[in-house]
Amino acid sequence: EEENTSLQTFKLKEQSLVQSESIIGVCAKIKLSMEKVLLLSMKKENHVMQGVVNIFTVDEEKLVPSGHIFCALPENAFSEKLSLLNREYFIACRPGRRFVDIWDLKKVELSTNEAEMIWEREIVNTKSIPMIKCSAVDFCFPYLVVGKSDGRCDIWNIQDNCILRTLEHGLETG
């Protein structure tokens, strides 16, 4: 039996100017909303790797570059798979997947366009073989949920800088 599908076609109305890597950096993530588009990229700025949140707004059905916010990366990199971007925060796990950093995109130093890092923490500090690492993150201020490779999940309150609860699945792991 043939499945009923409909394909919608679009025509290119207008193309924006090319945004080169030297201007916006290397794209890692994108966040879409009705009023703006956030493009997260990595870019070397002043000899330091930065997470850059490039902001595009909609003007007469076109995306227009309207600014950028820098987030200085403590280890000059972040794990793209273990990072989150929303309209208010950028959350990133460092390359070793043991530290998490959070920037507030509403608290920006106007002279440098640099967002304030509001929290950084070693979220995995147990020593084991195999090494336990962060495997998932989610965030809803002030709660940070961190899944770990040992099957546990920590729920942090970043305002109080404490773990509220650790969830365990109860299954044998390896």
Side-chain angles (χ1 to χ4, degrees), residues 19-27 39-43 52 54 56 65:
Q19 300 289 313
S20 71
E21 190 176 305
S22 63
I23 295 171
I24 63 169
V26 177
C27 180
L39 179 76
L40 174 64
S41 60
M42 286 184 61
K43 180 180 176 190
V52 183
N54 298 280
F56 296 85

Side-chain angles (χ1 to χ4, degrees), residues 12-18 62:
L12 179 64
K13 186 174 182 180
E14 187 175 335
Q15 188 164 343
S16 68
L17 296 173
V18 174
K62 291 188 245 178

Side-chain angles (χ1 to χ4, degrees), residues 55-127:
I55 304 163
F56 296 85
T57 53
V58 178
D59 182 27
E60 297 180 18
E61 299 182 358
K62 291 188 245 178
L63 287 178
V64 178
S66 61
H68 54 269
I69 301 171
F70 294 107
C71 301
L73 301 170
E75 293 182 10
N76 285 329
F78 67 94
S79 171
E80 293 174 28
K81 290 181 180 178
L82 294 175
S83 64
L84 297 171
L85 176 66
N86 64 35
R87 292 169 40 186
E88 298 178 348
Y89 300 96
F90 169 44
I91 300 93
C93 199
R94 294 185 194 173
R97 296 181 18 209
R98 298 177 66 80
F99 285 83
V100 170
D101 305 306
I102 301 175
W103 291 265
D104 188 331
L105 301 179
K106 301 176 307 303
K107 295 180 179 178
V108 178
E109 172 60 45
L110 295 178
S111 63
T112 61
N113 281 346
E114 192 165 310
E116 180 183 332
M117 182 188 286
I118 60 169
W119 197 75
E120 63 179 319
R121 180 81 183 209
E122 183 177 18
I123 45 94
V124 178
N125 55 18
T126 55
K127 307 293 183 216

